[in-house]
Amino acid sequence: MPADRTPVNGPFRIHVDPTPTGAALDISHYLTALVLTLAQAADEDGPGVLAELVNIAELDRSARHQGIDSPATHERDACVEEFLKGLSAGELPVYGAQVMRLADRLREIAAPKAVSSRPERRTA
């Protein structure tokens, strides 16, 4: 039976694929909704949204210069959190049985794989 790469189908689809070192969560459906919400906010108050984003960019530059535990880092993180709250976009919800399907898919990907003890045949 082929693995279901989309264990979460709503309200935002989450695709899960194996990678050589773990798993990749494709949350592009959620990110599309976030960009559309941001576009709507910019349409309603472009100068205000731009001012918030410029402030976050300035705080980020300062945070990168000052270090991970600097006041600028904490202020940047707080501003980003507030900005996302304003967009109602800080969390990616997963409901009901989809929680277990997501967990099962991740467990399936993370499970150790059998390694063949037979040497590969090479053909010339």
Side-chain angles (χ1 to χ4, degrees), residues 42 45-55 83:
D45 180 18
V49 170
L50 181 59
E52 287 185 66
L53 291 172
V54 167
N55 182 50
F83 185 75

Side-chain angles (χ1 to χ4, degrees), residues 29-45:
H29 186 239
Y30 171 74
L31 293 175
T32 297
L34 178 60
V35 168
L36 293 174
T37 301
L38 183 57
Q40 179 71 33
D43 185 47
E44 293 170 5
D45 180 18

Side-chain angles (χ1 to χ4, degrees), residues 1-9 13-20 22-26 94 97-113:
M1 175 172 124
D4 180 8
R5 77 174 291 266
T6 310
V8 179
N9 57 18
R13 290 183 301 275
I14 300 174
H15 304 293
V16 183
D17 294 304
T19 67
L25 302 179
D26 177 348
V94 179
Q98 295 180 105
V99 173
M100 290 308 298
R101 287 199 308 264
L102 178 58
D104 289 345
R105 178 66 175 137
L106 290 169
R107 239 187 314 290
E108 174 187 335
I109 288 171
K113 308 294 185 258

